[in-house]
């Protein structure tokens, strides 16, 4: 796993040279300026792309798997705030997981329902169970993060999904999502 290699390299740099690096390990990210290229995007932009196309073409929305798999989604703006905090305040070599809590885990079906609602998609949603769900549960603990930032408020999935991903990202990013044409990033 890449994460294990990075963590081992960070520890080695600290032990050998005294350099203090760390790793921030996020869960599933969603939000503005995502990669909507259907060939290599992640869960949320893939669902957005597929829903957009299904609505545009008047076809059913096809989702891989049963929809039962559980995932934690972090809003990209929250992740950016956490990156800034790590750069300024976090002084450990050990990695930190940037994630909402386990109680905020959603099924893929919950994510699909939010995107479908956001688009106003009225067509049929088909869960293709001939395709794999992937790992059913991929929970990451945010206990360490919560210890450092007990009052950090994550953007609720539905609020972030509707206010940013569906409104801003579709109009600003979706139509220019090729690898060569990335939208200009806004400063923090």
């Amino acid at each position: 796993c890449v994460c294990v290699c990075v963590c081992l390299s960070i520890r080695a740099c600290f032990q050998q040279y005294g350099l203090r690096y760390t790793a921030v390990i996020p869960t599933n990210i969603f939000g503005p300026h995502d990669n909507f290229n259907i060939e290599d995007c992640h869960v949320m932009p893939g669902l957005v792309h597929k829903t957009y196309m299904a609505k545009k073409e008047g076809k059913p929305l096809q989702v891989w798997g049963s929809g039962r798999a559980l995932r934690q989604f972090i809003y990209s703006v929250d992740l950016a705030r956490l990156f800034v905090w790590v750069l300024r305040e976090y002084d450990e070599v050990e990695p930190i997981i940037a994630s909402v809590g386990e109680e905020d885990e959603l099924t893929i079906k919950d994510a699909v329902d939010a995107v479908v609602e956001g688009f106003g998609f009225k067509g049929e949603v088909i869960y293709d169970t001939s395709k794999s769900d992937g790992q059913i549960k991929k929970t990451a603990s945010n206990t360490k993060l919560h210890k450092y930032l007990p009052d950090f408020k994550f953007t609720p999935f539905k609020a972030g999904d509707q206010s940013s991903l569906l409104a801003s990202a579709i109009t600003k990013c979706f139509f220019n999502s090729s690898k060569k044409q990335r939208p200009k990033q806004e400063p923090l």
Side-chain angles (χ1 to χ4, degrees), residues 118-144:
F119 266 103
F121 179 72
K122 304 292 184 211
E124 182 182 10
V125 178
I126 299 170
Y127 289 89
D128 184 352
T129 56
S130 71
K131 307 283 188 206
S132 172
D133 278 314
Q135 189 172 335
I136 292 295
K137 190 167 171 65
K138 292 174 76 169
T139 307
S141 173
N142 74 347
T143 303
K144 185 177 185 178

Side-chain angles (χ1 to χ4, degrees), residues 33 184-188:
H33 307 292
K184 183 179 178 185
Q185 296 291 325
E186 296 175 15
L188 291 175

Side-chain angles (χ1 to χ4, degrees), residues 94-107:
E94 293 303 312
I96 190 159
I97 294 172
S99 174
V100 298
E102 185 173 355
E103 68 278 3
D104 294 317
E105 216 168 23
L106 300 170
T107 64

Side-chain angles (χ1 to χ4, degrees), residues 34-53 61-63 115 119 165 174:
D34 213 329
N35 170 18
F36 290 88
N37 183 328
I38 200 68
E39 300 300 320
D40 61 358
C41 62
H42 293 283
V43 177
M44 283 306 298
L47 291 175
V48 167
H49 189 134
K50 286 182 170 189
T51 306
Y52 170 81
M53 294 306 294
L61 170 59
Q62 299 226 349
V63 179
V115 173
F119 266 103
L165 202 147
F174 183 66

Side-chain angles (χ1 to χ4, degrees), residues 133-187:
D133 278 314
Q135 189 172 335
I136 292 295
K137 190 167 171 65
K138 292 174 76 169
T139 307
S141 173
N142 74 347
T143 303
K144 185 177 185 178
L145 177 65
H146 189 68
K147 180 182 88 174
Y148 280 100
L149 298 170
D151 297 324
F152 188 87
K153 300 286 186 237
F154 288 96
T155 303
F157 176 78
K158 265 202 149 178
D161 186 62
Q162 291 172 345
S163 69
S164 175
L165 202 147
L166 296 176
S168 172
I170 291 169
T171 55
K172 292 180 183 175
C173 304
F174 183 66
F175 298 103
N176 294 318
S177 64
S178 72
K179 288 186 178 186
K180 292 180 181 174
Q181 279 191 309
R182 292 287 181 169
K184 183 179 178 185
Q185 296 291 325
E186 296 175 15

Side-chain angles (χ1 to χ4, degrees), residues 14-81:
F14 179 69
Q15 290 169 353
Q16 188 168 358
Y17 304 109
L19 299 173
R20 207 172 269 284
Y21 298 113
T22 196
V24 177
I25 304 168
T27 52
N28 296 280
I29 308 164
F30 72 101
H33 307 292
D34 213 329
N35 170 18
F36 290 88
N37 183 328
I38 200 68
E39 300 300 320
D40 61 358
C41 62
H42 293 283
V43 177
M44 283 306 298
L47 291 175
V48 167
H49 189 134
K50 286 182 170 189
T51 306
Y52 170 81
M53 294 306 294
K55 183 174 181 177
K56 180 180 172 187
E57 296 171 359
K59 294 182 178 178
L61 170 59
Q62 299 226 349
V63 179
W64 286 12
S66 67
R68 292 179 300 143
L70 292 164
R71 297 293 181 265
Q72 291 162 290
F73 293 95
I74 184 170
Y75 186 52
S76 60
V77 176
D78 293 343
L79 183 58
R81 289 172 41 221

